[in-house]
Amino acid sequence: MFEVKLKKKQGDFLVDTAFSTHTTGITALFGRSGAGKTSVINMIAGLSRPDTGLIRIHDTILFDSEKRINLRPYKRRVGYVFQEGRLFPHFSVKSNLTYGMKRIKGARRYIDFNKVVDLLGIGHLLDRRPATLSGGEKQRVAIGRALLASPRLLLMDEPLASLDAARKAEVLPFINKLPGQFDIPILYVSHSVDEIRSLADNLVFLVDGSTRASGPVETVAIRKDFKAVVGRQEHLPFTVLSSN
Amino acid sequence: MLNLTPIEIEALKLSLWVGFWAVTGSIGPGILVAWLLARKNFWGKTLVDGLIHLPLVMPPVVTGYMLLLVMGKQGVVGHWLFEHTGLCFAFNWKGAALASAIMAFPLLVRAIRLSMESVDHRLEQAAQTLGASPLDQFFTVTLPLTLPGILTGIILAFARSLSEFGATITFVSNIPGETRTLPLALYTLTQMPDGEAGALRLCIICATVALAALVASEMMSRRLNRTLKGDH
């Protein structure tokens, strides 16, 4: 059970969203550019603070404005795969991967190093430096690094947006394998309908900072307002679609 | 080939010794202040920034005289320090190191601050989401990526402290073997009737040491950049 209720005023823009999921699969947070997707997951990760609201994963409360609970980001155990990877340039791939792993107590560590490395196919990269990796390799390492911190929840902020079509096709299958292999809810931010079609089980549809609808992909995707946004998007040329 | 006299050797050794302690003592505070200025917003930040840069723009004699008033044996802080710790900065090499440290501090802080500001803040956020506390994140991400700037700052501060004259002679005077560093010895020689040859030798030493420091810094920072950015 993963529950989010957030309100935050940023200048003239109001983020006011609420959704919850019960499954451990991939939930897509979908909306056009500027719909407030990144604001929402930054609040979940603790990188920015909501005005009011509640963030709960199972029995653990990460944020509750009524009870005045606000866990610091490093205590939340929320994995975050950033759009630009954000690998540490001064560490090897291996040290990047183990950075979060080393910072979690053995008893809470439920994700195995070798399993992640095999699954993401990054075993041959361990001694390399991030600067020498291709875009697709970087994102696979970034996913591995977030997973190995044994998070309660995995956030992915358009992890494919900075990649070209060939690299997208390279990384997508690895993301698709995650829900079957690890028992973690995944919140996947995207404005690409293709990605959502191939990845998501659930869909949260965000318009101007507010949740318009949420639920299984099949039920949200047939809504008229959703189709309106998607339809407009699909008429756009691909280059515009893939940029952010 | 230079045939240094014992007095000149003494001045060279003293200069290196004073420079070493001036820099060693200011690295910690320098990193802390640079971090405050680069990453934090607080009331009076502009004032702090200005105070640190003051020795750079004031006549060094002013800095030396202020040190004498504050840190001398009768000074507010100097008296207290001597009473409680036995530490004394008046008319000895420690005072020369303190004067050099204060004069070099703006250069040290500036180099570290610039380098720290160029560290991608988003990497620090990433470290936090991976379970690193602010202190942990500082020592594993911010500080290693600031190393090139710290190195540059150290070399600049060392070179500046070797050339320190005005504040030193005002604060701790010109005592052979205690506070008579290279520039002070050079000045003394120029005041003596037959000191020209010695003065010239000290000039050459000063230029050589400064050049060696700059070349070493350039080489180390290139190597460091390669390691940090990790092209190979």
Side-chain angles (χ1 to χ4, degrees):
Chain A
M1 172 78 178
F2 165 47
E3 188 187 353
V4 171
K5 232 171 14 190
L6 299 170
K7 261 190 200 176
K8 183 181 176 72
K9 206 163 159 39
Q10 296 168 308
D12 288 338
F13 189 71
L14 180 73
V15 176
D16 180 1
T17 182
F19 58 87
S20 61
T21 60
H22 294 267
T23 54
T24 52
I26 296 180
T27 300
L29 187 58
F30 175 86
R32 281 194 284 172
S33 293
K37 307 184 291 291
T38 302
S39 303
V40 170
I41 62 168
N42 278 344
M43 285 189 258
I44 296 172
L47 298 178
S48 76
R49 191 197 165 114
D51 297 336
T52 58
L54 171 79
I55 304 166
R56 187 163 67 94
I57 304 167
H58 303 299
D59 298 329
T60 313
I61 294 173
L62 303 184
F63 179 85
D64 187 339
S65 51
E66 270 172 31
K67 290 185 187 151
R68 295 179 167 274
I69 297 174
N70 181 21
L71 287 190
R72 304 284 299 274
Y74 64 97
K75 290 191 170 154
R76 292 198 174 193
R77 289 178 54 209
V78 170
Y80 200 147
V81 179
F82 299 91
Q83 191 174 332
E84 346 70 271
R86 301 194 194 181
L87 298 177
F88 303 126
H90 56 305
F91 289 150
S92 67
V93 166
K94 189 174 181 197
S95 302
N96 266 283
L97 287 170
T98 54
Y99 188 91
M101 193 174 99
K102 282 186 197 151
R103 282 163 176 76
I104 186 137
K105 285 196 198 103
R108 286 176 165 178
R109 211 183 277 169
Y110 63 90
I111 288 183
D112 181 58
F113 183 80
N114 292 325
K115 184 179 170 184
V116 168
V117 168
D118 287 346
L119 185 83
L120 295 168
I122 49 181
H124 61 295
L125 305 173
L126 293 179
D127 295 327
R128 301 254 296 266
R129 286 301 190 100
T132 68
L133 303 181
S134 73
E137 287 168 342
K138 275 182 192 159
Q139 281 311 54
R140 274 145 64 193
V141 173
I143 293 168
R145 183 179 69 169
L147 274 176
L148 283 166
S150 296
R152 298 181 171 115
L153 165 76
L154 186 62
L155 304 172
M156 302 178 94
D157 185 11
E158 311 213 27
L160 304 179
S162 59
L163 306 178
D164 60 38
R167 300 283 152 262
K168 277 192 177 116
E170 170 203 322
V171 180
L172 203 61
F174 291 107
I175 299 177
N176 231 337
K177 277 192 264 180
L178 298 179
Q181 296 292 323
F182 304 101
D183 196 20
I184 317 173
I186 298 173
L187 189 60
Y188 186 98
V189 168
S190 183
H191 66 268
S192 154
V193 188
D194 290 338
E195 281 170 38
I196 287 167
R197 274 201 199 106
S198 51
L199 290 173
D201 309 301
N202 292 300
L203 184 53
V204 177
F205 178 36
L206 213 59
V207 177
D208 296 332
S210 308
T211 323
R212 189 59 69 81
S214 74
V217 172
E218 313 83 68
T219 58
V220 180
I222 56 171
R223 289 172 60 101
K224 270 190 185 149
D225 46 4
F226 182 81
K227 280 183 177 166
V229 170
V230 171
R232 222 171 338 179
Q233 221 189 44
E234 284 187 334
H235 289 116
L236 292 172
F238 184 78
T239 45
V240 175
L241 230 174
S242 63
S243 73
N244 193 24
Chain B
M1 74 189 166
L2 273 170
N3 273 334
L4 297 173
T5 63
I7 295 173
E8 291 158 13
I9 293 175
E10 188 182 63
L12 174 63
K13 278 187 181 163
L14 183 66
S15 260
L16 295 174
W17 178 254
V18 165
F20 172 79
W21 283 107
V23 172
T24 307
S26 25
I27 294 174
I31 291 174
L32 183 71
V33 170
W35 175 78
L36 281 173
L37 293 175
R39 284 286 190 260
K40 295 283 154 186
N41 278 311
F42 52 91
W43 191 87
K45 183 172 170 174
T46 316
L47 188 69
V48 171
D49 199 19
L51 279 176
I52 287 162
H53 281 88
L54 217 48
L56 207 60
V57 289
M58 277 194 317
V61 186
V62 176
T63 307
Y65 189 62
M66 279 164 70
L67 274 172
L68 193 62
L69 292 181
V70 177
M71 299 300 292
K73 247 197 181 141
Q74 306 305 320
V76 199
V77 181
H79 185 70
W80 186 90
L81 264 182
F82 184 66
E83 289 285 303
H84 290 82
T85 64
L87 198 62
C88 178
F89 288 100
F91 304 109
N92 59 24
W93 70 266
K94 287 175 206 147
L98 179 65
S100 292
I102 301 252
M103 293 303 292
F105 202 61
L107 297 173
L108 183 73
V109 168
R110 209 176 176 81
I112 299 174
R113 177 187 178 174
L114 281 177
S115 182
M116 203 173 269
E117 277 171 348
S118 75
V119 172
D120 192 345
H121 182 56
R122 297 173 307 172
L123 292 175
E124 296 169 344
Q125 285 187 333
Q128 286 179 35
T129 67
L130 291 164
S133 67
L135 203 65
D136 182 1
Q137 163 239 295
F138 178 78
F139 281 108
T140 54
V141 177
T142 317
L143 202 58
L145 291 172
T146 309
L147 271 182
I150 295 175
L151 188 75
T152 310
I154 285 174
I155 301 288
L156 277 175
F158 185 67
R160 178 67 189 84
S161 93
L162 287 185
S163 61
E164 172 32 45
F165 178 80
T168 308
I169 203 166
T170 316
F171 179 34
V172 289
S173 182
N174 186 0
I175 307 164
E178 192 65 54
T179 66
R180 183 175 290 172
T181 53
L182 280 176
L184 273 67
L186 180 52
Y187 170 74
T188 310
L189 282 171
T190 60
Q191 300 301 303
M192 298 197 325
D194 53 351
E196 274 156 31
L200 193 63
R201 282 199 296 273
L202 289 189
C203 272
I204 296 171
I205 297 176
C206 282
T208 313
V209 172
L211 195 64
L214 289 176
V215 170
S217 135
E218 182 61 26
M219 276 162 56
M220 277 196 282
S221 96
R222 258 190 224 162
R223 244 179 89 179
L224 207 59
N225 262 325
R226 266 207 306 273
T227 325
L228 288 179
K229 304 275 150 54
D231 290 336
H232 271 290

